[in-house]
């Protein structure tokens, strides 16, 4: 354990060929061996014990210079580099990423236990399926460790507000996925077109629905995916990285070891980002509203252009659009959400010094616009204008 605490590579504490050698963990003299465990600021506790465990560990490096110990225990059946042989590497990467990006991990250990269960989270300890391998083991390990931030550090009530627990976790998992090992695995959370079927299904419930009142086949979207997509839109499209990250880090820091309600989150994000987001909370979290921004036409106006936009959806959104000029160059402009506050049409005077050949709303395809056909001018054959 001492060697592991100084190593970025995993070190065996019980090697595969030592499994079952009970002398290793027996006291040298007569009597019983007592293990003491202590961890502060935890809202739950779990432990695992088996004479079949291989046990390995490696150091976790935290931003403040503090260290923690990533550990994995798993049976021989789960061993191997394509399976639990990488569990400690995954655990270390996951905890280091969340600590760097959002809030420093406060616990002394992060233990991944191979168990006969899909995945379940506790403070400082996960149970993940002993059958998981490769990307699926990375995914479940990263998700369960992500729960240390929600709801273990920020003590959300998952029985009422599952989206503040599973949803926030799914959101931070997205960036952890992208960061792991220079993109070894991919996460398609924001392939927004794939949600169209669900977003237009009349049996769906709003995010704010308590999980025991959500139809079980909707729970994945209501509690996990839709809130995560909402935060991605907030970070990538509405606020931008700098303002979002400052606000979300401040929310975690302020509410660490406390029990925030939804309004505490909404208020905090607005106060720190300096922007009223009522329209977004109401539309995305409390209703089934969909987004449908449209570019209806582009008209010459002297040396410039007038671009006609409309909001055909049930909730407003800022308009980020990309202009392509006849020399092939591109430029982005942004119209704030306030353009929709007095109505659903907006004539934008586009001042340019080159000929415009194309206008495209949301060029990075971040928002879940339910009708892509009216997002581009000139309209494609799929257009409906
Ligand atoms: Zn979860």
């Amino acid at each position: 354990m001492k060697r592991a605490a100084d190593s970025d590579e995993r070190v065996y504490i019980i090697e595969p060929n030592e499994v079952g050698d009970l002398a290793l963990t027996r006291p040298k003299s007569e009597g019983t061996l007592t293990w003491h465990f202590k961890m502060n600021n935890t809202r739950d506790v779990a432990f695992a014990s088996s004479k079949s465990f291989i046990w390995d560990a490696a150091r976790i490096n935290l931003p403040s210079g503090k260290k923690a110990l990533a550990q994995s225990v798993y049976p021989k059946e789960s061993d191997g580099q394509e399976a639990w042989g990488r569990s400690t590497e995954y655990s270390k990467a996951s905890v280091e990423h969340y600590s760097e990006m959002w809030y420093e991990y406060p616990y002394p250990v992060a233990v991944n236990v191979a168990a006969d269960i899909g995945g379940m989270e506790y403070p400082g300890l996960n149970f993940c399926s002993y059958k998981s391998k490769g990307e699926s083991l990375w995914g479940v390990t990263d998700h369960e460790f992500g729960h240390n931030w929600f709801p273990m550090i920020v003590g959300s009530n998952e029985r009422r507000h599952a989206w503040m627990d599973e949803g926030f976790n799914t959101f931070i998992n997205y960036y952890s996925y992208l960061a792991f090992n220079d993109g070894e695995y991919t996460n398609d959370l924001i392939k927004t077109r794939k949600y169209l079927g669900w977003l237009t299904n009349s049996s769906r419930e709003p995010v704010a629905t308590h999980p025991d009142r959500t139809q079980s086949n909707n729970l994945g979207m209501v509690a996990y995916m839709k809130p995560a997509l909402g935060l991605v839109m907030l970070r990538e499209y509405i606020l931008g990285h700098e303002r979002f990250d400052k606000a979300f880090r401040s929310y975690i820091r302020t509410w660490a070891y406390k029990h925030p309600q939804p309004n505490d989150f909404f208020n905090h994000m607005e106060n720190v980002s300096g922007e009223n987001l009522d329209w977004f909370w109401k539309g995305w979290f409390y209703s089934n509203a969909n987004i449908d921004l449209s570019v209806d036409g582009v008209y010459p106006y002297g040396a410039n252009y007038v671009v006609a936009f409309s909001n055909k959806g049930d909730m407003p959104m800022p308009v980020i659009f990309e202009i392509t000029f006849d020399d092939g160059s591109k430029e982005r402009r942004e119209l704030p959400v306030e353009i929709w506050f007095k109505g659903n049409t907006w004539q934008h005077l586009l001042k340019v010094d080159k000929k415009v050949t194309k206008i495209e709303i949301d060029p990075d395809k971040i928002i879940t616009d339910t009708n892509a056909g009216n997002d581009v001018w000139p309209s494609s054959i799929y257009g409906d204008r």
Side-chain angles (χ1 to χ4, degrees):
M1 287 189 84
K2 208 167 180 187
R3 270 201 294 131
D6 288 328
S7 172
D8 288 322
E9 302 292 325
R10 71 169 174 152
V11 170
Y12 280 119
I13 296 166
I14 295 180
E15 292 188 28
N17 62 16
E18 293 171 329
V19 169
D21 180 357
L22 298 182
L24 282 172
T25 49
R26 280 219 178 102
K28 297 274 186 293
S29 55
E30 287 297 300
T32 55
L33 180 70
T34 305
W35 292 74
H36 295 273
F37 299 92
K38 183 182 173 185
M39 201 158 93
N40 293 326
N41 291 327
T42 65
R43 57 183 282 176
D44 204 347
V45 64
F47 76 97
S49 169
S50 171
K51 61 186 176 188
S52 305
F53 282 152
I54 297 168
W55 184 5
D56 69 42
R59 174 177 65 194
I60 293 170
N61 302 303
L62 298 171
S64 69
K66 276 202 248 168
K67 312 291 176 195
L69 193 63
Q71 302 175 62
S72 300
V73 289
Y74 46 95
K76 279 181 180 172
E77 295 88 324
S78 307
D79 194 14
Q81 272 307 98
E82 67 294 330
W84 279 74
R86 292 186 72 187
S87 165
T88 291
E89 175 196 350
Y90 294 158
S91 306
K92 170 180 163 68
S94 179
V95 171
E96 287 179 352
H97 168 83
Y98 296 127
S99 296
E100 189 68 46
M101 187 146 180
W102 303 117
Y103 182 85
E104 182 162 305
Y105 189 67
Y107 304 131
V109 293
V111 187
N112 204 19
V113 181
D116 193 11
I117 188 176
M120 187 50 68
E121 67 273 18
Y122 293 87
L125 185 145
N126 303 331
F127 296 105
C128 294
S129 172
Y130 76 98
K131 292 179 185 162
S132 275
K133 291 174 187 263
E135 180 163 358
S136 83
L137 180 60
W138 155 258
V140 68
T141 300
D142 183 56
H143 179 85
E144 306 311 342
F145 276 126
H147 275 301
N148 281 287
W149 284 264
F150 310 101
M152 305 310 172
I153 296 171
V154 179
S156 318
N157 184 336
E158 64 182 309
R159 296 287 167 212
R160 288 182 185 164
H161 315 298
W163 60 273
M164 298 175 79
D165 169 326
E166 298 296 357
F168 286 8
N169 188 24
T170 302
F171 164 73
I172 63 172
N173 298 161
Y174 171 65
Y175 295 100
S176 181
Y177 240 94
L178 299 185
F180 176 68
N181 200 18
D182 294 327
E184 178 175 349
Y185 301 132
T186 53
N187 183 318
D188 65 354
L189 173 72
I190 65 160
K191 282 200 177 138
T192 52
R193 311 308 301 167
K194 75 179 184 177
Y195 304 106
L196 284 187
W198 191 83
L199 287 170
T200 52
N201 183 332
S202 60
S203 77
R204 71 197 189 279
E205 300 96 344
V207 168
T209 314
H210 288 191
D212 63 335
R213 298 165 193 183
T214 304
Q215 296 172 78
S216 46
N217 58 347
N218 283 342
L219 199 61
M221 281 300 300
V222 170
Y224 294 68
M225 308 305 267
K226 194 180 169 189
L229 279 171
L231 265 58
V232 169
M233 289 196 283
L234 208 51
R235 183 171 194 261
E236 304 292 337
Y237 190 92
I238 299 167
L239 295 177
H241 292 185
E242 194 181 343
R243 280 200 299 159
F244 178 92
D245 292 356
K246 189 177 176 205
F248 199 55
R249 285 174 188 146
S250 172
Y251 166 72
I252 297 171
R253 196 168 59 238
T254 304
W255 287 96
Y257 318 113
K258 299 189 179 83
H259 302 285
Q261 300 297 310
N263 280 334
D264 297 316
F265 171 69
F266 300 142
N267 288 338
H268 205 94
M269 295 303 287
E270 293 191 355
N271 288 341
V272 180
S273 71
E275 186 159 330
N276 183 310
L277 296 163
D278 287 355
W279 56 274
F280 184 65
W281 313 132
K282 182 187 170 196
W284 196 255
F285 292 86
Y286 286 96
S287 84
N288 281 330
N290 276 319
I291 303 160
D292 181 10
L293 297 176
S294 170
V295 50
D296 298 331
V298 178
Y299 312 100
Y301 185 77
N304 297 304
Y305 295 86
V306 167
V307 185
F309 291 105
S310 64
N311 172 28
K312 296 191 185 324
D314 303 313
M315 65 180 283
M317 264 283 157
V319 181
I320 294 176
F321 63 100
E322 186 175 76
I323 310 155
T324 306
F325 298 101
D326 63 347
D327 64 1
S329 62
K330 293 175 186 213
E331 193 184 315
R332 286 192 184 189
R333 303 264 173 107
E334 183 172 349
L335 302 174
V337 73
E338 284 82 358
I339 63 171
W340 307 122
F341 283 5
K342 288 186 183 173
N344 286 323
T345 58
W346 184 259
Q347 311 278 318
H348 176 64
L349 175 60
L350 183 64
K351 292 184 178 172
V352 288
D353 49 20
K354 283 183 279 193
K355 187 166 181 266
V356 173
T357 58
K358 185 181 169 191
I359 301 272
E360 182 176 8
I361 296 172
D362 184 24
D364 297 329
K365 298 289 165 264
I366 302 294
I367 60 174
T368 57
D369 190 309
T370 50
N371 182 2
N374 56 22
D375 292 354
V376 182
W377 175 90
S379 75
S380 65
I381 54 168
Y382 304 106
D384 66 346
R385 63 188 182 87

